Amino acid sequence: MTDFSQIHQPVLLEECVGLVAPALARPGSIVVDCTLGLAGHACAFLKAAPEARLIGIDRDSEALSLATQRMRQEGLDDRFTPVHAAFDEFNQVLDDLGVHTVQAVFMDLGLSSLQIDETDRGFSYSHDAPLDMRMDITQDLTAAQVLAQYDERDLAHIFKTYGEERFARQIAHAIVQERGQEPLTTSGQLNRLVDRVVPKAHRPAGNPAKRVFQALRIEVNGELDKLAHTLPQAANHLAVGGRLVVESYHSLEDKTVKSFMRHGLEADVPAGLPVIPDDAQPFFTALTRGAVMADDRQIAENPRSASVRLRAVELNRELPERWRERFDQMTVEGGGRDRRAARGHADAHDGSSRAARSAHPGRSGHTGYQSHAKGARRDHGSRRG
């Protein structure tokens, strides 16, 4: 039996529960945890809302299995439905379960403790392991393939954009030179290469390879594209009074979340219009003043929380039909071009099979679902418990 008490506490756990739980007071309320991980947040939500049910989505089958075990140990499994899927499959997951509206959607965009602490998939620069970095081991693209196949310009773009790496071009050039002599297949090799390239006088605190590893992980898993595709799906499924709560750890993640939430926080009229029609009033209410960040005590207890940004909004009225249509279009378009797709790297989720799910009619403005439609399919992406 796994001892979950030894797992790191999720980042800003009390704050997240305080934002999610008020939306789950009515019997039959549903919260979707899009990034289940080891169910640290999920368990806390269900304990704080004893009448609620939780759908937990994760693309990592190992994490999903452990989360299900944890729910069973906590006595919460009768209100829990695990789903093996990427979170950008949000619409399909709910459709398969017969759920139309939910009272809360939660996303923690960090790696789970399982992914950070395990040593065999190359997520960490602290251990020498194969350069895999796939959150979903059924997909084709790995970090080693990115380093072997992408040209120098694309590698530099990834490191600069996703890792905010100052020496992106130099690192990309060194990788192309190195792979001509020997394939880069382990985290140790990449660690040593970055160590040689980045001048010691210009290094940030910590391991100089940190930003490169982050950038590779984002590229391999298509994290920013998935996020941009998922947020509008979540909004379209929120009931009035429903809440969208998101923890980000990367500036581009936070920018994506902030920009999306702004759609509903501002009046949908031209600037300077003297009277705002009721239908053009904001449909989101901000639940956080800007982004909530970890304080010094929380960072000392869990250094992984240093970069967290927590934002939350509540749907304050029925979503206008024109915005439902816009969000449907955004679901298709997402946040821009998927660089991997442009190279013909297909995400393996699309062809993955789904486990059987069952659904039944429910009450309270949504349909119910069978709590034990075991593992339906699987996402996520650096600090979940």
Side-chain angles (χ1 to χ4, degrees), residues 125 128 131 143-144 146-148 152 155-156 159 165 167-200 203 207-213 216:
Y125 42 79
D128 193 12
L131 278 170
V146 171
L147 296 180
E152 183 174 327
L155 287 172
F159 300 149
E165 172 54 60
F167 297 95
R169 289 195 302 171
Q170 294 91 325
I171 294 170
H173 181 74
I175 287 171
V176 172
Q177 295 297 311
E178 181 88 4
R179 74 189 187 192
Q181 306 298 320
E182 180 183 11
L184 289 164
T185 60
T186 71
S187 55
Q189 286 177 287
L190 182 58
N191 221 343
R192 292 189 291 272
L193 181 147
V194 175
D195 187 59
R196 292 196 303 269
V197 172
V198 178
K200 289 182 169 55
R203 295 183 178 187
N207 191 304
K210 178 179 179 179
R211 297 177 184 271
V212 172
F213 274 71
L216 279 174

Side-chain angles (χ1 to χ4, degrees), residues 8-22 24 31 33 36 38-54 67 70-71 74-76 79-80 106 247 385:
H8 289 293
Q9 177 167 292
V11 172
L12 299 181
L13 180 61
E14 292 183 9
E15 290 83 350
C16 290
V17 172
L19 289 166
V20 170
L24 306 176
V31 53
D33 186 340
L36 181 64
L38 296 181
H41 285 103
C43 285
F45 295 155
L46 289 179
K47 290 178 180 179
E51 300 294 330
R53 296 178 177 273
L54 183 140
R70 185 176 191 175
M71 286 289 185
E74 296 279 358
L76 302 170
R79 296 189 284 129
F80 169 62
F106 175 73
E247 288 185 294

Side-chain angles (χ1 to χ4, degrees), residues 69 205 352 363 378:
Q69 177 186 333
S352 63
R363 302 188 301 275
R378 85 196 198 73

Side-chain angles (χ1 to χ4, degrees), residues 23 71 95 102 114 121 197 213 215 229 238 381:
M71 286 289 185
D95 285 349
V102 300
L114 174 67
R121 276 195 258 174
V197 172
F213 274 71
H229 283 83
L238 282 180

Side-chain angles (χ1 to χ4, degrees), residues 303-323:
R304 296 171 180 173
S305 67
S307 60
V308 71
R309 301 291 184 272
L310 171 63
R311 298 182 186 273
V313 293
E314 179 178 279
L315 185 67
N316 58 38
R317 63 187 178 95
E318 288 287 347
L319 196 61
E321 188 58 34
R322 66 181 180 278
W323 274 104

